Amino acid sequence: MKSIPRASRVSAAFLKIADTLVDDYDVLDLLHTLVDECVGLLDATAAGLMLAGPDGVLQVLASTSEESHLIEVLQQETGSGPCVECYTTGVPITISDIAGTGDRWPEFRDAAVALGFQSVHGFPMRVRGRTIGAMNLFRTDTGELSAEDIAIGQALADVSTISILQERTIRESAVVNDQLQRALNSRILIEQAKGMISHISTVDTNEAFQRLRSHARAHNTSLRDTAEAVLNRTLTL
């Protein structure tokens, strides 16, 4: 099979993100598209993303695996780690060898290494000096991302951030807070629905989420509405 040129893959990733920007678009679907595309395009093992709610507290909204989800939740709970620091400083952060970070983030270091991650790169979700969250790419090998990969990852994060804050759907701070808060609330419903699907269908949580997302896309509904249907027992996946 003929390999697809890198430039074409990059263009396709931007198009996928653009395709999510429709009327009443689903913020969670946008964020999951972002992390999925970055993992595939930038040769990462997994990714996780956190956004700040109206109160400024970071919450985990997207991840590509249960392992990366656990690492993001740990950072959220301890208030420390590369994703938290990336959000706080608003600048990219590279950790080429997680095991060698010493006492910088001991909880993060131990958990990441235990799950097989050896390096991490953080991208701030920012626009015009405002940072609303951060995305982490995890790898099972040590080493840094190339300058080209860093530029591509940051560009994808920036475009996604702009889409969240775009003028046509968000015109004032109150609306920004409402949309972010809705995304945070939706995440809770989705986690509950994943658990129910996993229990009823005897599948792992990764498969449960894929079923949830596939059904939402196939029926042109939001992840939140699909999760609510599962929890209300009007839908079985």
Side-chain angles (χ1 to χ4, degrees):
M1 182 181 294
K2 186 177 180 179
S3 62
I4 301 174
R6 182 81 187 284
S8 297
R9 294 173 61 204
V10 172
S11 297
F14 278 101
L15 285 174
K16 275 193 175 182
I17 289 177
D19 283 345
T20 67
L21 307 182
V22 295
D23 291 339
D24 299 321
Y25 73 92
D26 189 337
V27 174
L28 286 175
D29 191 39
L30 166 68
L31 297 179
H32 278 286
T33 297
L34 171 63
V35 294
D36 285 344
E37 290 302 309
C38 283
V39 165
L41 190 60
L42 305 180
D43 193 29
T45 305
L49 186 150
M50 293 196 284
L51 287 188
D55 54 3
V57 177
L58 288 171
Q59 299 287 342
V60 181
L61 288 187
S63 57
T64 60
S65 70
E66 284 303 307
E67 291 80 8
S68 59
H69 177 75
L70 288 172
I71 292 295
E72 294 297 290
V73 169
L74 173 68
Q75 293 182 78
Q76 171 193 325
E77 293 177 344
T78 61
S80 67
C83 201
V84 174
E85 185 168 312
C86 187
Y87 165 69
T88 302
T89 63
V91 298
I93 184 171
T94 294
I95 303 299
S96 60
D97 183 8
I98 295 174
T101 55
D103 295 328
R104 190 174 182 180
W105 312 299
E107 296 92 346
F108 167 81
R109 178 200 64 212
D110 293 345
V113 171
L115 290 171
F117 298 129
Q118 296 192 54
S119 59
V120 60
H121 194 98
F123 298 93
M125 301 287 291
R126 67 187 181 192
V127 62
R128 296 178 182 173
R130 179 180 181 183
T131 305
I132 63 172
M135 173 178 65
N136 278 174
L137 294 185
F138 300 95
R139 304 174 79 181
T140 55
D141 299 321
T142 57
E144 299 183 1
L145 292 178
S146 68
E148 180 182 28
D149 282 353
I150 292 173
I152 292 171
Q154 189 61 64
L156 288 166
D158 288 346
V159 168
S160 299
T161 304
I162 290 170
S163 74
I164 294 172
L165 302 176
Q166 60 187 320
E167 185 64 22
R168 71 179 176 84
T169 55
I170 300 173
R171 303 183 186 279
E172 58 187 17
S173 178
V175 179
V176 174
N177 289 341
D178 286 345
Q179 185 153 353
L180 292 180
Q181 187 60 58
R182 178 176 174 80
L184 295 175
N185 292 340
S186 295
R187 187 67 204 175
I188 295 172
L189 293 177
I190 290 168
E191 289 300 318
Q192 292 173 339
K194 280 169 55 179
M196 181 175 288
I197 295 169
S198 178
H199 176 72
I200 294 176
S201 301
T202 318
V203 296
D204 63 29
T205 52
N206 285 330
E207 171 63 21
F209 178 74
Q210 289 306 317
R211 291 187 183 188
L212 197 67
R213 192 180 186 194
S214 296
H215 186 278
R217 287 190 161 188
H219 294 80
N220 197 29
T221 60
S222 70
L223 283 169
R224 179 192 178 97
D225 290 342
T226 306
E228 286 184 329
V230 170
L231 293 173
N232 291 334
R233 298 184 182 276
T234 59
L235 173 65
T236 300
L237 297 177

